[in-house]
Amino acid sequence: MTQNGQRNTKDDTLDDDNNNKDLLQQIASSFRSGVEVKDRKYRLMTFKQCFIGSDAVDFMVSNGIASNREEAIKLGQSLMTELSLFEHVTRDHPFADDHLFYHFIDRGDVSINPVTKEKFQWSDYLDPSSSTSYSSGGMSLQPTLPVPNMEYVSPNDVHVASHIWPLDDHNLQLLDHVHPTGWKDPTSQNKYDLVVIGGGPAGLVTAAGAAGVGARVALIEANFLGGDCLNMGCVPSKSLIHAAKLAHTVKGNQAALADAGITIQGGADSVSIDFAKIMERIRRIRAGISHHDSAERFTKELGVEVFMGRGTFVGNSSVMVNGQTLKFNKAVIATGGYPSLLPMPGLKELHQMNTNPGNKPRPYVMTNETFFNMTEQPQHLVVCGPGVIGVEMAQSMQRLGTKVTVLGRSGRILPKEDDDHAKTIQDQLEQDGVEFRLSVTEYVGVVLTGNILDNGHPEMSFKIQEQTDGKKVYTELLVDAVLVATGRRPNVNGMELEKAGVEYDGRAGIVVNDKLQTTNQNIYSAGDCCSQYKFTHAADFMARAVVRNALFFGKERMSQMLIPYATFTDPEIASVGLYGKDLDAKVVPFRTFEKHFKDNDRAICDGETEGMVRIRVDAKSDKILGATIIGKNAGNMISEITLAMQSGTGLGTLASVIHPYPTTAEAIRQAGDLFNRTKLTPATKSILRGLIKVQR
């Protein structure tokens, strides 16, 4: 009741909900003890410790729990969906008044493979991973990637939490899925087959895969399920890039429109950018996708026991989370990574002001973890770091109307790419209006100037020292937004790894062998916390390998994975296998074949002639050792070459693959034609001419 005697319907509703849940719990306890649970057979399959749906309905009606069979069915469905008390043995049916088998979720086995007479294994459900599919002749086809300088970061630095803002309907929906406020941890019982620490891509795939083959799995996540990719990486960044491409098409590429016979009345100035709407769409898309990674889905649909909290090891085979001790046979550390701030005076303090804004205007000092919290468009953004994240966001923000300056130390962008390809990307960004300062020798300091700009952002003075014509010059940039994208570090501190006998380095990550096994033979690791290949798809397949190796005595090896990757600038750039500099370092002779899009009919029709296909093959055969594509949709095109390498298909064979005309993918086939022409030696040509003469 309220003070004036009126009924508080919200409080009463909450009380009713709590009472209903308590009653349901009581019914669940009675249900569990009352139904007959035993091993049952269906055709050639044996299902361990399960009960029959129609028997459960009989029990509820005969014991007065339900007044009739229809009510018993609804009650059983509530026990199954709301409490996740039990599930169908093959997860194919809801609760029904039928001769269907169900088992309680907290038991172990699901079923027995009728062929092997053993528990279903990962291989029964999934195709073999890449390490079993291609032969590299003993040589790994993984390139060497540049490693960010982490010497300035304390080896004991701990990632505390990420930050989601604003708390609108979309972000509230996101949080309900990936970090539900009312989440209640399950009660730990018995020993787990597998405990997974970390709910990003690697952790989620590990947990889902292991549970899918009958393992009893616990998943521990301290922050947001879905990890970096869903919440502040792949999903929101590609949504921003989409908006930027549309803006560039109608606003920044007027010459191309005019050439195609399209005119916008009033020109580029008549096109307006609603930045707040763009960011709102990003939040909406992210929230819509988030159910796939949600605690509810993993618990109710996949049978994983989800714990929301920070896991710390208390021994070689046990982890503590929220006061509960979880014992395990095997464990996987998949805690990912997080961005590091530069050791620049004033930067850390302003970053903290951004994540704890209060009522004052907040300075936009951001990493990728807070970049997508923006609601108002900055006037001048400075990006520290010319790597993948830096250049993708720099181009997008510039095309949306923000002045962007990119800072770096090495004199170039995208350090892992070939020099000419990196220059192509830089030239395009400069054409878009991005300014580059790539000879920074010192980040001197950043402070608030005291001015508030028209967009409501506090102005900042960002000072750097540069090397210009052999001299050191100090430069001041007046900005209202800073994105720090200078590298990521593994999230490995604060877990008491020492107590589990797991070796690690605060900057390099978890120490693993080629089977992704740590120095504790029963603990494995996957994803950014143990690998230089910090890609979502790499984490995915590392997780698949870990499940095989940890649960089924697998022999999957990290070094044999073939990992493509892409930078989603415009034009895109995508690579797989070894670069020329990697082959030179390994002293492997090779040949390079290139086909430029300026000679491709579809690219000419689309007005997208910048770029090429570059394929590197063994010097004595057509075996593909590596490839790079730069151009429109390069990220999609690289998969054809990845498949060829995976299956051992040579470049010469790709020439015989029929492609639809006109497509840019024809450039791959045409590169194969270039290779085949090298086999036409003078002797071969002479023989062919002779054969033609014989037929005249």
Side-chain angles (χ1 to χ4, degrees):
M1 302 288 286
T2 60
Q3 291 181 350
N4 61 7
Q6 292 181 340
R7 185 179 179 85
N8 190 324
T9 55
K10 180 179 180 181
D11 291 342
D12 290 342
T13 300
L14 291 175
D15 290 339
D16 290 342
D17 288 344
N18 291 332
N19 292 334
N20 289 337
K21 290 179 180 178
D22 291 340
L23 178 59
L24 203 57
Q25 290 283 3
Q26 294 173 14
I27 294 173
S29 178
S30 176
F31 182 95
R32 181 187 284 272
S33 61
V35 297
E36 183 182 17
V37 176
K38 64 179 183 179
D39 293 356
R40 302 177 189 274
K41 291 185 178 180
Y42 179 72
R43 294 181 179 174
L44 297 179
M45 300 185 70
T46 299
F47 295 91
K48 295 285 187 178
Q49 296 297 293
C50 52
F51 61 90
I52 297 173
S54 56
D55 290 351
V57 171
D58 289 340
F59 167 76
M60 287 188 282
V61 173
S62 62
N63 285 271
I65 296 175
S67 59
N68 53 56
R69 303 190 76 83
E70 289 74 17
E71 184 177 310
I73 293 170
K74 292 181 180 179
L75 185 57
Q77 291 172 346
S78 295
L79 294 173
M80 182 175 180
T81 59
E82 295 184 28
L83 293 188
S84 298
L85 181 67
F86 58 85
E87 63 183 2
H88 183 254
V89 290
T90 59
R91 298 174 182 161
D92 291 328
H93 298 281
F95 180 74
D97 185 6
D98 204 345
H99 194 78
L100 298 172
F101 296 167
Y102 301 88
H103 64 252
F104 293 106
I105 285 178
D106 62 353
R107 47 149 297 281
D109 290 342
V110 176
S111 61
I112 300 297
N113 188 315
V115 178
T116 65
K117 306 302 181 183
E118 297 175 349
K119 289 173 63 175
F120 275 114
Q121 297 186 3
W122 185 259
S123 56
D124 295 327
Y125 291 85
L126 296 179
D127 293 332
S129 70
S130 57
S131 63
T132 62
S133 301
Y134 81 94
S135 172
S136 59
M139 178 179 67
S140 172
L141 295 181
Q142 294 175 351
T144 300
L145 301 183
V147 178
N149 180 10
M150 291 296 174
E151 292 301 319
Y152 57 83
V153 181
S154 168
N156 299 318
D157 183 44
V158 177
H159 183 226
V160 179
S162 301
H163 182 259
I164 295 293
W165 185 265
L167 294 181
D168 61 359
D169 289 343
H170 304 308
N171 277 343
L172 289 176
Q173 180 186 1
L174 171 72
L175 292 173
D176 283 343
H177 286 156
V178 302
H179 197 107
T181 183
W183 186 256
K184 183 179 180 180
D185 289 343
T187 300
S188 174
Q189 297 177 357
N190 303 319
K191 182 180 285 188
Y192 290 96
D193 297 311
L194 189 69
V195 168
V196 182
I197 304 178
L204 294 178
V205 172
T206 301
V213 293
R216 183 165 183 256
V217 181
L219 174 64
I220 303 171
E221 172 55 46
N223 293 322
F224 304 132
L225 291 166
D228 187 78
C229 183
L230 169 67
N231 297 292
M232 61 280 297
C234 312
V235 171
S237 68
K238 301 311 166 283
S239 300
L240 182 69
I241 289 170
H242 168 75
K245 284 185 176 180
L246 292 177
H248 179 67
T249 298
V250 298
K251 188 177 179 69
N253 204 9
Q254 293 285 305
L257 290 176
D259 183 58
I262 299 171
T263 301
I264 296 178
Q265 294 296 328
D269 292 339
S270 65
V271 179
S272 61
I273 303 294
D274 188 339
F275 188 79
K277 185 68 174 179
I278 291 171
M279 301 306 289
E280 187 270 339
R281 176 181 179 271
I282 291 173
R283 298 193 297 274
R284 171 167 51 84
I285 289 173
R286 180 173 62 182
I289 292 174
S290 64
H291 174 72
H292 185 78
D293 295 346
S294 67
E296 180 182 39
R297 175 174 178 265
F298 268 73
T299 298
K300 294 184 177 180
E301 297 180 25
L302 303 182
V304 175
E305 296 185 26
V306 178
F307 295 79
M308 300 301 299
R310 180 173 291 276
T312 57
F313 286 93
V314 292
N316 286 333
S317 58
S318 55
V319 173
M320 179 172 286
V321 55
N322 298 334
Q324 293 195 68
T325 299
L326 281 55
K327 296 181 179 180
F328 59 80
N329 290 323
K330 299 291 173 64
V332 177
I333 302 169
T335 47
Y338 62 96
S340 294
L341 293 175
L342 291 166
M344 182 181 192
L347 191 67
K348 183 177 181 180
E349 292 76 12
L350 291 177
H351 179 260
Q352 290 174 343
M353 290 177 63
N354 178 47
T355 55
N356 298 282
N359 295 322
K360 297 181 180 179
R362 44 189 183 137
Y364 276 167
V365 176
M366 306 165 287
T367 66
N368 74 292
E369 290 192 334
T370 51
F371 187 78
F372 300 102
N373 293 346
M374 287 192 295
T375 56
E376 300 294 333
Q377 184 167 12
Q379 295 181 12
H380 187 184
L381 167 68
V382 62
V383 177
C384 304
V388 173
I389 296 174
V391 297
E392 284 184 354
M393 295 301 94
Q395 184 178 48
S396 295
M397 293 300 291
Q398 183 73 46
R399 287 183 166 186
L400 291 173
T402 294
K403 174 179 171 55
V404 178
T405 302
V406 176
L407 306 179
R409 297 178 181 269
S410 64
R412 57 162 294 174
I413 70 171
L414 300 176
K416 75 175 184 289
E417 304 297 347
D418 290 338
D419 291 346
D420 58 335
H421 289 166
K423 186 178 185 305
T424 297
I425 301 298
Q426 183 174 337
D427 289 345
Q428 178 59 59
L429 265 69
E430 288 179 337
Q431 183 178 327
D432 291 336
V434 176
E435 177 188 13
F436 288 92
R437 294 178 175 269
L438 302 176
S439 300
V440 176
T441 56
E442 180 185 356
Y443 290 92
V444 177
V446 56
V447 296
L448 296 174
T449 66
N451 296 328
I452 303 297
L453 304 181
D454 293 341
N455 57 9
H457 295 176
E459 184 183 60
M460 292 172 280
S461 170
F462 193 99
K463 294 182 179 180
I464 57 174
Q465 183 187 78
E466 301 175 271
Q467 189 78 19
T468 304
D469 298 328
K471 298 180 181 180
K472 292 184 178 179
V473 178
Y474 288 91
T475 303
E476 179 186 30
L477 302 172
L478 295 178
V479 304
D480 60 333
V482 178
L483 171 61
V484 182
T486 50
R488 297 176 60 80
R489 62 171 299 159
N491 187 20
V492 294
N493 291 313
M495 287 186 286
E496 304 288 349
L497 293 172
E498 298 85 354
K499 295 181 179 179
V502 175
E503 292 185 15
Y504 69 100
D505 181 278
R507 298 187 179 102
I510 305 287
V511 176
V512 294
N513 61 21
D514 204 20
K515 295 174 68 176
L516 297 170
Q517 191 175 37
T518 72
T519 49
N520 180 328
Q521 65 178 359
N522 292 320
I523 299 177
Y524 292 73
S525 187
D528 291 7
C529 63
C530 70
S531 172
Q532 66 169 320
Y533 300 98
K534 303 185 188 303
F535 312 114
T536 297
H537 48 285
D540 181 327
F541 277 80
M542 290 169 69
R544 296 167 188 249
V546 159
V547 173
R548 284 177 174 270
N549 292 344
L551 299 183
F552 304 121
F553 310 104
K555 298 180 181 179
E556 303 292 309
R557 296 190 177 276
M558 175 66 192
S559 62
Q560 294 300 299
M561 292 185 186
L562 192 61
I563 305 173
Y565 41 87
T567 300
F568 295 97
T569 48
D570 182 12
E572 294 179 1
I573 183 167
S575 296
V576 64
L578 300 174
Y579 290 90
K581 56 195 171 205
D582 296 309
L583 293 167
D584 289 338
K586 294 175 181 287
V587 196
V588 176
F590 67 98
R591 292 183 291 172
T592 301
F593 295 90
E594 297 178 350
K595 191 65 180 179
H596 291 254
F597 288 127
K598 64 182 178 61
D599 301 317
N600 177 272
D601 290 355
R602 179 56 184 270
I604 294 171
C605 293
D606 290 345
E608 302 279 357
T609 56
E610 189 69 66
M612 68 175 77
V613 173
R614 174 177 291 165
I615 302 177
R616 294 170 282 273
V617 302
D618 182 83
K620 297 181 180 180
S621 70
D622 68 344
K623 179 181 178 180
I624 303 173
L625 302 176
T628 301
I629 302 175
I630 180 170
K632 182 180 179 181
N633 295 324
N636 289 329
M637 290 178 62
I638 199 67
S639 294
E640 180 178 354
I641 301 176
T642 304
L643 177 60
M645 295 175 67
Q646 186 97 9
S647 61
T649 303
L651 181 57
T653 303
L654 284 181
S656 64
V657 176
I658 301 175
H659 290 67
Y661 175 87
T663 58
T664 52
E666 280 188 296
I668 297 173
R669 178 189 61 75
Q670 291 164 348
D673 289 337
L674 294 177
F675 170 83
N676 286 336
R677 288 182 193 135
T678 65
K679 298 190 295 185
L680 288 175
T681 63
T684 304
K685 291 180 180 178
S686 177
I687 293 172
L688 293 175
R689 281 195 296 267
L691 290 173
I692 293 173
K693 288 180 180 179
V694 169
Q695 299 179 64
R696 288 176 179 169

